[in-house]
Amino acid sequence: MKFFASLYNLLFDQKTFFAENKPAGLKIPILITAVYAVVSALVSIPLLGEAAALVPAELSGIIIGTGVISTLIMTFITWVFVSALFFACLKFIGYAVCSFKDILSVCSYVSVILIISSVLTLLVWFIGAAPAVLLLALQGVFLLWSIPVWYFGFAAVCDIPAKKLKMSIAVPVILMVVVSLFSLIGA
């Protein structure tokens, strides 16, 4: 029962979650990120199937396999990159006292929200091709949902004033929004 209470708190009451579950170690964060990687890879298979249909049949398996493996690897690379971005902002903007391991740990908890995002995106895809603007709005909702996880998670593992913490989170979030907008424009 504690698992479901913790999951509920992570999703809807992040302050309580991080008060009761201060991140320690990387076992659980790696497990959470691995589950997200597998879910992302599974969600990408229908899209990869569409791409594979456009090439000769003997190459379709290679395309799907390469896409799934790439998704698994890129999930972990993205986790480390986003953690490094937050770590740099926390250190240079907020002069926070924390370790990169702590930041990795907190950033992995966002993967739970991203799992929900992936599944919901797959469901939208099964209904029909959604306009890119709708998918961007969906990304925005999940990005906003992630902010309290970062805020209360970093507050739990870092020694940093609240004002500097807000600024240290705002910079990467703004960068994520800009990247999303440019990817929409480029698509």
Side-chain angles (χ1 to χ4, degrees), residues 108-141:
S108 73
Y109 287 105
V110 172
S111 294
V112 175
I113 294 170
L114 295 176
I115 289 169
I116 296 168
S117 172
S118 295
V119 170
L120 190 59
T121 302
L122 179 66
L123 293 174
V124 167
W125 183 84
F126 278 134
I127 293 169
V133 175
L134 175 66
L135 294 175
L136 182 66
L138 193 60
Q139 273 184 329
V141 168

Side-chain angles (χ1 to χ4, degrees), residues 32-163:
I32 292 169
T33 305
V35 169
Y36 171 55
V38 169
V39 168
S40 293
L42 292 173
V43 165
S44 71
I45 290 174
L47 299 172
L48 292 168
E50 281 187 5
L54 300 174
V55 298
E58 58 271 3
L59 295 178
S60 61
I62 293 171
I63 289 176
I64 292 172
T66 304
V68 166
I69 291 169
S70 297
T71 301
L72 292 170
I73 293 169
M74 284 307 297
T75 300
F76 281 94
I77 290 172
T78 303
W79 172 43
V80 172
F81 178 77
V82 168
S83 298
L85 179 62
F86 276 111
F87 184 70
C89 288
L90 287 164
K91 287 291 188 178
F92 295 120
I93 295 172
Y95 305 107
V97 176
C98 56
S99 70
F100 183 64
K101 181 178 155 185
D102 293 334
I103 303 308
L104 269 173
S105 201
V106 169
C107 286
S108 73
Y109 287 105
V110 172
S111 294
V112 175
I113 294 170
L114 295 176
I115 289 169
I116 296 168
S117 172
S118 295
V119 170
L120 190 59
T121 302
L122 179 66
L123 293 174
V124 167
W125 183 84
F126 278 134
I127 293 169
V133 175
L134 175 66
L135 294 175
L136 182 66
L138 193 60
Q139 273 184 329
V141 168
F142 285 99
L143 179 62
L144 289 174
W145 192 2
S146 302
I147 292 171
V149 175
W150 289 317
Y151 182 83
F152 292 111
F154 295 151
V157 299
C158 294
D159 182 20
I160 184 171
K163 185 175 181 180

Side-chain angles (χ1 to χ4, degrees), residues 2-23:
K2 182 170 174 23
F3 171 78
F4 292 109
S6 290
L7 181 62
Y8 176 84
N9 286 339
L10 175 62
L11 295 174
F12 303 109
D13 188 7
Q14 295 82 10
K15 185 175 183 177
T16 301
F17 176 81
F18 285 107
E20 295 173 355
N21 305 295
K22 187 173 179 186

